[in-house]
Structures are given as structure tokens and as C-alpha cells.
Amino acid sequence: GAVVSQHPSWVICKSGTSVKIECRSLDFQATTMFWYRQFPKQSLMLMATSNEGSKATYEQGVEKDKFLINHASLTLSTLTVTSAHPEDSSFYICSARDLEGRGFDTGELFFGEGSRLTVL
Amino acid sequence: QKEVEQNSGPLSVPEGAIASLNCTYSDRGSQSFFWYRQYSGKSPELIMFIYSNGDKEDGRFTAQLNKASQYVSLLIRDSQPSDSATYLCAVSRFNAGNNRKLIWGLGTSLAVNP
């Protein structure tokens, strides 16, 4: 199956610093990538949908200037949490769909392993 | 009312029994329905998707959809301890940018006891 790699798998940072999380599709070209956030014992919350070469579409309530998303190539999308604060501590997950449309229409979102962010 | 509702559990069943997981949704226009399994600290993995009313079987798993009653369920036959996880129900709809997105339930925690 299609592989999505996410890095780093966990990161600890100080309050006020910025953290970048990478999401790579290893064996397919990802036209669309989705960024989720999951707090403990909560459901996955979609933060934004990013399409290669265009601006990301953010969900209501998600600050565009705080969560910067770049999808510059068909195999890489990045999420940067700027000026992180303890309330940003969460499990961030990316997922992707490919050029043929696989990875969503049949529910087969190809998920990354997730990145656990802890802001001190 | 949450868009996708699940009983958080925990649901505890003995090994070999049938586990029944339920999910209700509020948007009557929803068309696609998915069940994912998520182990603690891991990303979700797809178990089944269903579009049409009725049952869909895949191995030990059966998804059931009733659009009139707006519920979707997942049955796990011959439950194994390795099935112990959180089961997430998801429903797809379009967002403001006309992209299809998934709306997730909180998940039901399942414990299969040896």
C-alpha cells in the first residue's frame, strides 16, 4: 500500500518557538494532503486541506498565521506551528490522497505515523 | 448535537464473542461512511467503508448502514485480544472549499478479554 512518512514522530520544544512537521508520500504523488490534530481522548479534528501548488484551505477556527502549511511538491507537505504554546501540545497527523484519487473516495486515506508535540 | 456520535465505552467483550459498535450521524446528506481502528499513540487505519444501505462483509468485520435511521454499525466476529483498540466512525461531506472532508466521531474503546 501507499506509504506516508511523517517526521519527527515526537518533539519537545519551549514555549514561543516554532516547530516544523514534515509529511512525505514515499511511493506515490500526493495531490492533496490533510492535516489533523488529535487531543487525548478526542476525535481527529481536520485543521486544513492542502493541494499541491496552491494555498491550503483552513477549517473554521484554525489560525492560518499560526499553523503554516506548505505543499510545494507532490511528495511533501509541511506544517509549521509558529510561536508554540502549551495548549498547542497535541498529536498531529497528516494523510494524503494520490493522483488517481485513491486515498479518499474509498476511505483509504494514507496516514502518516503522527507527530506528538509537547510544548513546555 | 455532535455531527458524528459514538458511545465512548469502554466496550468489553470476551474473546471469541461478537463486538457491536454503533455510530449515528446528523447530516442526512452524508454519503460515505468509514470505520477506522486506532491503537494508542498510532494513526488510524481503515477497516471498512460503506456507501449503500445494508450490510457489507469483509472477513470478520461487517459494516451495516441504515440511512433512514442515520446510523452505521460495525460488527466484529470472533473477537481477538488484538482487536482491542479505539474504533473511529467517520462520515464524509464537503467543506467550504468544496473539498470533501471526513467528520470523525470520538471513537469507541473496545477491550477484548482473553
Side-chain angles (χ1 to χ4, degrees), chain A residues 58-113:
Chain A
Y58 288 80
E59 294 300 303
Q60 190 172 9
V62 178
E63 299 175 59
K64 300 179 184 181
D65 296 331
K66 181 168 182 63
F67 299 100
L68 302 178
I69 291 173
N70 184 288
H71 192 165
S73 79
L74 284 171
T75 59
L76 173 65
S77 177
T78 60
L79 167 67
T80 301
V81 184
T82 62
S83 186
H85 291 285
E87 58 266 29
D88 298 322
S89 299
S90 187
F91 191 47
Y92 291 86
I93 308 172
C94 71
S95 65
R97 63 183 294 184
D98 72 3
L99 283 170
E100 284 88 40
R102 291 178 305 161
F104 197 90
D105 294 332
T106 56
E108 278 193 74
L109 284 173
F110 306 123
F111 283 94
E113 306 94 329

Side-chain angles (χ1 to χ4, degrees), chain A:
Chain A
V3 178
V4 175
S5 176
Q6 203 171 328
H7 178 81
S9 53
W10 57 271
V11 57
I12 301 173
C13 70
K14 291 183 179 179
S15 185
T17 60
S18 294
V19 174
K20 180 184 284 188
I21 300 170
E22 294 186 348
C23 181
R24 293 181 184 273
S25 55
L26 298 186
D27 54 358
F28 69 101
Q29 293 181 313
T31 52
T32 305
M33 284 188 172
F34 304 87
W35 285 97
Y36 292 89
R37 179 168 54 181
Q38 186 178 33
F39 293 107
K41 299 192 184 302
Q42 298 293 315
S43 64
L44 276 72
M45 295 299 295
L46 180 66
M47 299 175 69
T49 303
S50 79
N51 294 298
E52 185 266 337
S54 61
K55 289 184 179 180
T57 300
Y58 288 80
E59 294 300 303
Q60 190 172 9
V62 178
E63 299 175 59
K64 300 179 184 181
D65 296 331
K66 181 168 182 63
F67 299 100
L68 302 178
I69 291 173
N70 184 288
H71 192 165
S73 79
L74 284 171
T75 59
L76 173 65
S77 177
T78 60
L79 167 67
T80 301
V81 184
T82 62
S83 186
H85 291 285
E87 58 266 29
D88 298 322
S89 299
S90 187
F91 191 47
Y92 291 86
I93 308 172
C94 71
S95 65
R97 63 183 294 184
D98 72 3
L99 283 170
E100 284 88 40
R102 291 178 305 161
F104 197 90
D105 294 332
T106 56
E108 278 193 74
L109 284 173
F110 306 123
F111 283 94
E113 306 94 329
S115 300
R116 186 162 302 283
L117 169 64
T118 301
V119 184
L120 301 177

Side-chain angles (χ1 to χ4, degrees), chain B residues 6-22:
Chain B
Q6 295 180 256
N7 188 323
S8 61
L11 173 65
S12 183
V13 300
E15 184 174 355
I18 296 175
S20 178
L21 303 160
N22 299 312

Side-chain angles (χ1 to χ4, degrees), chain B residues 62-107:
Chain B
T62 298
Q64 298 174 317
L65 175 62
N66 184 322
K67 289 188 177 181
S69 300
Q70 294 176 243
Y71 84 76
V72 55
S73 63
L74 179 70
L75 300 178
I76 306 175
R77 289 181 298 282
D78 188 24
S79 296
Q80 301 297 309
S82 57
D83 293 327
S84 300
T86 296
Y87 289 80
L88 301 169
C89 172
V91 173
S92 74
R93 68 172 173 83
F94 289 94
N95 66 6
N98 208 34
N99 289 308
R100 204 183 305 181
K101 70 172 188 177
L102 291 180
I103 308 299
W104 298 80
L106 281 174

